[in-house]
């Protein structure tokens, strides 16, 4: 029996007004239909916004303990259901069960963090003469639109929904059309935790229809988006100037290996950053800049370890890398492997396992690829691939490392493998990246630390994650002068 899923609008589970649906399929086996989801349009978005607009003032007027309690309960429910939801995450997005469990288990911690923040929405008082008291009051923004990508469908959404709700806002939530079930699960957990029914609306559907309708709506007070630069730019261009917007976009992240680095450490760091999550993290490592004396050995070691990675369905025992999440991703990664070869690079891996292995014939499986000896003008150095493909290039100095690491339109995460403290300090201060990791992969961030990039990686309105800076986006400050 085909499962038919619904939108959640104005407190009711309901199909799209237009009655149409789209399919959600398993990327490890495209014959596996997970379910049908509402293919919503502007009419659903209008109803969603109007329901949330009516609901949020009562939520904002509640004591902060009440808002915190709902999020604490959501954390408990999420902790209880994490492994069950992780299994669905693997089926829907493709990542391995271990990766899915890591993501699902972190949601509880995320909700707890923001539950605490509900009680810390402090204002300030300002010195003044005795005739008045001057203070600032933090208030919710109102209706927050949350548009999320498919690669971390739980954690990207939780780190936006959590602070939005903690600060007293209502949310119109549009998950990626690639991972609608994970969006639904998150909303179910919040409702089970006691969230007022109309405070969150879930509108499933395509970016070009639902996403654009949200962006075009005058009823959205703030919009937070994580996804591609192309879409982020489109959103920024079409929003009304009254709408507060936070955009987190791509990356072309490098790991830099300095001459003192231990090769084992460098290989482990790169492998995790480049091939973890099938290379589909915005902080994933796609470039390696290595001190020339280590170049040949590092390339050989990376080729060997990439070839040993066990690729297969994320659900299967012992699998280290799942499929790409979509056919589009699969075709794109293979196209870049082809480009690398055409450009004269040495490519090890990058095979289309779908064609090569009959057990993998129905999924989007590729072998991780290590590319070396590319010309400096190669497209692989510049374009975001979003797959398990890493290009390696030699460097001759720290100056060159900084220059080349920053020689990209993006500026999200960069990692440095070295024990040389002066180099670390200089690199960390000078690089044009929002996140600098030392002796750890470009991927993997603390949920209480600010997250965000520079240049095309972010519109830099506010960082995501953490405390105060998050709340700056989800609340606004009013200055009050109390005269006697
Ligand atoms: P990704 O492929 O990494 O998910 P996208 O930028 O394509 O990146 O999508 C991110 C989110 O933005 C998804 O939820 C998608 O449906 C949505 N989206 C896509 N196009 C638009 C658009 N024109 N306006 C608003 N949202 C969109």
């Amino acid at each position: 029996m085909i499962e038919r899923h619904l939108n959640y609008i104005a407190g009711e589970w309901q199909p799209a007004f237009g009655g149409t649906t789209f399919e959600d399929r398993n990327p490890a086996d495209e014959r596996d239909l997970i379910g049908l989801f509402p293919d919503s349009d502007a009419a659903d978005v209008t109803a969603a916004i109007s329901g949330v607009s009516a609901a949020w003032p009562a939520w904002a007027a509640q004591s902060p303990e009440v808002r915190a309690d709902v999020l604490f309960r959501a954390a408990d429910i999420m902790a209880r259901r994490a492994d069950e939801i992780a299994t669905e995450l693997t089926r829907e997005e493709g990542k391995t069960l271990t990766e899915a469990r890591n993501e699902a288990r972190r949601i509880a911690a995320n909700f707890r963090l923001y539950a605490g923040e509900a009680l810390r929405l402090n204002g300030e008082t300002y010195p003044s003469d005795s005739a008045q008291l001057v203070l600032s009051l933090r208030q919710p923004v109102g209706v927050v639109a949350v548009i999320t990508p498919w690669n971390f469908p739980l954690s990207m959404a939780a780190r936006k929904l959590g602070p939005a709700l903690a600060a007293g806002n209502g949310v119109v939530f549009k998950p990626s059309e690639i991972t609608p079930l994970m969006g639904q699960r998150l909303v179910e957990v919040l409702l089970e935790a006691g969230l007022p029914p109309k405070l969150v609306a879930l509108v499933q559907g395509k970016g070009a229809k639902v996403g654009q309708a949200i962006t075009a709506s005058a009823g959205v007070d703030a919009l937070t988006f994580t996804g591609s630069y192309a879409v982020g730019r489109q959103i920024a261009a079409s929003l009304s100037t009254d709408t507060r917007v936070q955009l987190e976009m791509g990356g072309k992240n490098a790991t830099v290996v300095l001459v003192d680095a231990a090769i084992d450490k460098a290989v482990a760091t790169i492998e995790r950053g480049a091939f973890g999550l099938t290379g589909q993290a915005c902080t994933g490592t796609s470039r390696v800049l290595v001190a020339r004396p280590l170049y040949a050995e590092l390339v050989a070691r990376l080729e060997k370890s990439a070839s040993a990675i066990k690729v297969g369905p994320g659900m299967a025992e012992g699998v280290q890398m799942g499929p790409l999440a979509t056919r589009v991703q699969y075709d794109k990664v293979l196209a870049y492997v082809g480009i690398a070869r055409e450009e004269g690079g040495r490519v090890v891996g990058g095979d289309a396992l779908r064609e090569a292995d009959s057990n993998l014939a129905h999924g989007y499986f590729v072998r991780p690829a290590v590319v070396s000896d590319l010309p400096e003008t190669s497209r692989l150095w510049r374009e975001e691939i979003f797959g398990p493909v890493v290009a390696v290039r030699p460097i001759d100095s720290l100056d060159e490392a900084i220059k080349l690491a920053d020689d990209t339109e993006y500026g999200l995460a960069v990692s440095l493998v070295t024990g040389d403290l002066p180099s670390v300090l200089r690199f960390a201060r000078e690089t044009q990246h929002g996140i600098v990791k030392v002796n750890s992969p470009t991927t993997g961030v603390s949920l209480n630390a600010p997250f965000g990039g520079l240049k095309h990686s972010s519109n830099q309105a506010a960082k995501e994650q953490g405390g105060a800076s998050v709340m700056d986006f989800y609340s606004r400050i009013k200055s009050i002068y109390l005269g006697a």
Side-chain angles (χ1 to χ4, degrees), residues 198-223:
K198 295 181 182 172
L199 192 67
V200 168
L202 172 72
V203 194
Q204 303 281 15
K206 307 284 170 63
K209 264 204 291 185
V210 178
Q212 275 189 16
I214 291 173
T215 308
S217 167
V220 171
D221 299 297
L223 186 150

Side-chain angles (χ1 to χ4, degrees), residues 147-150 174 176-177 207 211-212 225-228 231 234-235:
I147 300 182
T148 48
W150 46 261
K174 191 212 103 53
S176 166
E177 56 269 43
Q212 275 189 16
F225 162 87
T226 299
S228 61
V231 171
Q234 216 177 314
I235 289 175

